[in-house]
Amino acid sequence: MENGSHSTFKLNIISSEYESKNQNFRRPLTLFSFITATARDGSQVTEKRLQDVSKVLRDNLTKGTTLKCKEKNVVYPIIHFTEDRNSLMSVLQDQNEINEHFKLHQGVYREIKSIECEDGNGPFVTTSTSISYIVSGFKLLDTSLVEVMIESWKDWTGARHIYLHIPYDLGLQRISFLKKVAPNSLNSFTYIVLAECLNVNTEEKKMLLLDFVQRMRIEKFLSGYLSVSNPPVMDCEPCELCMEAPKKKSKGSKGGRTSAGIVDGVSMAEMSREQLEGFAARMKKELEREREERNFFQLERDKVLTFWEITRHENKDREIEDIEEKHQDEIKVYKQKLKLLMYEQHVHLSEVQAKNMVSLKIANDEHLNEEEELTKENDALKQEIVEINLRHIEEINNIRLEHARVMRELKDRFISDCQVIEGKYQKRMEDLRNRMDLKNKVEVAETEARKNKRIAEIIEDHNNAFNNLKEHYNDITVNNLTLIGSLKEKLLELKEDQQRAEMDLKEVAKENESLKGPLKEAQTTVEELTQKMSNYLKDKQRLMVLTKRLKHSNDKYKDLQVDYDELKMISEKMQADLDNVKDEYSNKLMNLQMEHGKKLLAIERRLKRSGETVEEKEAQIARLTGATSADTSIAMAMNAKTEALLDKKNRLIEQIWNDLVVVTQKYNELCKHFKSTLRHHGIQGYDDGVFELVPADNKHEYFENL
């Protein structure tokens, strides 16, 4: 078959459910294979595809019987069953895709009940084409009423309706009730009813069978699967379920369970005495049940024959007399049956009462013995619980004392170390402050000296500039007097020239008119050059300022370089001291954390051992409670004592948990104080949480992680 998404199972024949209850009389197992279409609307079910699937099924399951449904658009168009042991022992398919159109479901079933029809073989000529089957399937979700359903299977499966009302001409041979052994899934039916008809050899009988099944669907309101199937013309070797029954059966061999000294595949000569006695008791029960059913059916048949006789007679008076006679006969028969039933009921009631008295006496003795043993075990457990509680209390007190002593030592050590560190760094800070004050005073004195020197230079430059300006103005005064005399002489000459110039002015005015255009251009050029000149002067002034600033910055850089060298030497020295202190206190804190972690691990191991002891005691108490559940007062007392003990243990665990939380908080506060002290003194490089313990959010998760 093609591979697809499927689930498989392997049958364990020895450990099946029904065999475990009936080890002495095992009926053969039957493998049922159901072919269903992947599409529920029936569009994929065609004759050619069904032939291909039947061929694939015959290739994989060579032995057995293949049934093809006569109806259309059914859930399982092809059903195959076989009792071949090799097929049962192979890997079976709970659900497998044969191809894109069909899926295969397989299940292993065992016949647990059956109805044999005495007139089944009658005057019928049985051929492979005249055999038809009524197949009913039921799925069960609730398994609490399995025994009741098995006992009343004839009613809810419709088997009794089939036996009483199926037409005689169809040749009903056998009705089998099978229960699924494996697998434990809902892909296949939990129960199957298989009714075999031997004389469905014409179209009229086929239509009659289909009509009977359809009426059964409507009238009985069955909630399971119901269909009519028959073997194809070319089929494989039939199995025992479809074999023809013997033509004549004795009352002792009813049900087909014995044949020629063989019971369920085991020879009677090989059976032990217990097996034979069990088989005889089973046959006796079945014989009684079959007698009751036979009597009921005979009564029903007698009634039918009576009514038939009445219709044959035309004389009404004679009919009334015959009916009265038959009625009297029936009354006699019923009285005899009633006496027989009352006698059987009395005998059965006496046997049941005797068995119940014996079993009650044995159960009472066993209960008394178990009660004495449980009382002794309960006393021993109480004494052991008291001793364990005393040991736990002593251990917890010792742990608390040891933890308090360790915490006091750690606190004293941390306080002394912090005082030493504070003194050392206070002394260093005072030395550094003195050095910085001295350096500040030296720098202030140097700055004052440079300031006074600069002031003297500025005063000297101002005096020199004033003297030069005074001499310049004196020279200007002398030159102006000389210039005034020469200008008077020139004034006369200018008047004469003015007259000549007025004459020339007219000529020049004409020339000016012609020179206005070049003048405007020249003025524009002058403005541009003036702007450039002003920009040049500004740039020159800026250059001078920047030159002075650069000189001043160089002088300041040299002073800062000297200060930087001094600070660098001091910083390197302080960094070396800081690294030494960091290494020293890192080692101390790591050692302290390791010691504290060891203490916590010891406490956790003790708590874990205590928890395991409590769980063991709880399991023992639970077993005791289960053993004494028959006596309500003892069970209630044990439950009350158990709950009191559990409450006491829970309170003890809660107290230990609270102590552990308090210790963790104090340790974390101490670590935070130490790190804040380091940051206060300028020591960096420690992340938060390195030295702290992370408390657990939930104590149950904490103990589970342990």
Side-chain angles (χ1 to χ4, degrees), residues 495-512:
K495 287 180 178 180
E496 294 177 356
D497 294 334
Q498 183 178 5
Q499 293 177 358
R500 287 191 299 270
E502 288 176 356
M503 296 299 292
D504 297 332
L505 181 60
K506 294 178 181 179
E507 297 176 359
V508 172
K510 293 179 181 180
E511 292 178 359
N512 285 340

Side-chain angles (χ1 to χ4, degrees), residues 293-349:
E293 294 179 355
R294 181 179 178 84
N295 291 334
F296 173 78
F297 297 144
Q298 284 179 348
L299 290 172
E300 295 289 332
R301 186 177 62 182
D302 292 339
K303 288 181 181 180
V304 173
L305 292 175
T306 300
F307 290 130
W308 181 71
E309 290 292 337
I310 290 172
T311 57
R312 291 179 59 187
H313 297 286
E314 296 179 355
N315 191 352
K316 295 182 179 180
D317 296 334
R318 181 62 181 168
E319 290 177 358
I320 294 172
E321 291 177 0
D322 293 339
I323 291 171
E324 185 66 26
E325 291 177 358
K326 291 182 181 178
H327 182 63
Q328 294 296 330
D329 294 336
E330 289 178 356
I331 291 174
K332 292 179 182 180
V333 172
Y334 277 116
K335 287 181 180 179
Q336 292 177 358
K337 289 183 179 180
L338 182 61
K339 290 179 182 179
L340 179 62
L341 289 173
M342 291 178 65
Y343 174 75
E344 291 178 351
Q345 184 180 8
H346 179 70
V347 172
H348 179 68
L349 183 62

Side-chain angles (χ1 to χ4, degrees), residues 93-336:
Q93 309 293 329
D94 181 21
Q95 180 176 352
N96 185 23
E97 293 185 0
I98 301 177
N99 52 35
E100 61 181 354
H101 304 295
F102 295 97
K103 291 190 296 185
L104 170 66
H105 301 290
Q106 288 184 322
V108 179
Y109 296 81
R110 187 187 296 279
E111 180 184 342
I112 57 176
K113 301 287 183 180
S114 63
I115 299 175
E116 293 286 347
C117 299
E118 296 181 355
D119 299 331
N121 275 342
F124 308 127
V125 179
T126 303
T127 62
S128 59
T129 58
S130 64
I131 299 175
S132 294
Y133 293 88
I134 300 175
V135 182
S136 300
F138 306 90
K139 293 184 179 181
L140 185 63
L141 297 176
D142 186 9
T143 59
S144 59
L145 301 175
V146 173
E147 299 294 334
V148 177
M149 295 184 69
I150 292 176
E151 291 298 327
S152 61
W153 72 278
K154 296 179 182 178
D155 297 324
W156 61 270
T157 60
R160 191 185 303 277
H161 180 80
I162 294 173
Y163 183 82
L164 295 176
H165 299 91
I166 193 169
Y168 177 77
D169 294 336
L170 298 179
L172 178 64
Q173 170 66 22
R174 178 184 175 89
I175 302 176
S176 301
F177 179 61
L178 299 99
K179 179 183 178 183
K180 184 169 68 172
V181 177
N184 189 15
S185 67
L186 294 177
N187 291 326
S188 55
F189 299 118
T190 307
Y191 298 99
I192 294 177
V193 176
L194 201 64
E196 181 182 7
C197 299
L198 303 179
N199 195 37
V200 187
N201 51 6
T202 62
E203 292 297 327
E204 291 79 5
K205 291 180 179 179
K206 291 180 182 179
M207 294 301 296
L208 184 63
L209 180 60
L210 292 173
D211 180 73
F212 173 76
V213 171
Q214 185 63 27
R215 290 178 180 272
M216 185 177 175
R217 286 195 185 103
I218 298 172
E219 295 174 359
K220 296 298 291 182
F221 300 99
L222 295 178
S223 59
Y225 172 82
L226 183 64
S227 65
V228 179
S229 303
N230 62 340
V233 177
M234 298 299 293
D235 201 356
C236 52
E237 181 182 348
C239 63
E240 293 184 7
L241 286 176
C242 61
M243 294 291 289
E244 296 180 4
K247 293 185 178 181
K248 293 183 180 181
K249 301 178 183 65
S250 64
K251 293 183 180 179
S253 62
K254 189 171 293 184
R257 297 183 184 87
T258 60
S259 176
I262 296 176
V263 179
D264 292 338
V266 181
S267 175
M268 295 182 65
E270 298 176 359
M271 296 174 66
S272 62
R273 180 177 179 180
E274 290 79 9
Q275 291 177 340
L276 290 173
E277 289 176 354
F279 178 74
R282 181 182 170 190
M283 291 294 104
K284 185 177 180 181
K285 291 180 181 178
E286 291 184 359
L287 180 60
E288 292 174 356
R289 186 173 66 253
E290 295 293 335
R291 281 176 178 173
E292 293 174 358
E293 294 179 355
R294 181 179 178 84
N295 291 334
F296 173 78
F297 297 144
Q298 284 179 348
L299 290 172
E300 295 289 332
R301 186 177 62 182
D302 292 339
K303 288 181 181 180
V304 173
L305 292 175
T306 300
F307 290 130
W308 181 71
E309 290 292 337
I310 290 172
T311 57
R312 291 179 59 187
H313 297 286
E314 296 179 355
N315 191 352
K316 295 182 179 180
D317 296 334
R318 181 62 181 168
E319 290 177 358
I320 294 172
E321 291 177 0
D322 293 339
I323 291 171
E324 185 66 26
E325 291 177 358
K326 291 182 181 178
H327 182 63
Q328 294 296 330
D329 294 336
E330 289 178 356
I331 291 174
K332 292 179 182 180
V333 172
Y334 277 116
K335 287 181 180 179
Q336 292 177 358

Side-chain angles (χ1 to χ4, degrees), residues 435-457:
R435 288 198 301 270
M436 292 295 106
D437 291 339
L438 180 59
K439 183 180 178 181
N440 190 19
K441 290 178 181 179
V442 172
E443 290 178 352
V444 170
E446 291 177 354
T447 304
E448 289 289 337
R450 287 196 298 271
K451 183 186 73 172
N452 295 330
K453 182 179 179 181
R454 182 62 179 168
I455 291 171
E457 292 177 354

Side-chain angles (χ1 to χ4, degrees), residues 61-79:
L61 299 172
T62 56
K63 296 182 179 181
T65 301
T66 302
L67 302 180
K68 182 180 177 182
C69 185
K70 295 182 178 181
E71 300 169 287
K72 294 183 179 180
N73 297 330
V74 294
V75 180
Y76 302 102
I78 296 177
I79 300 174

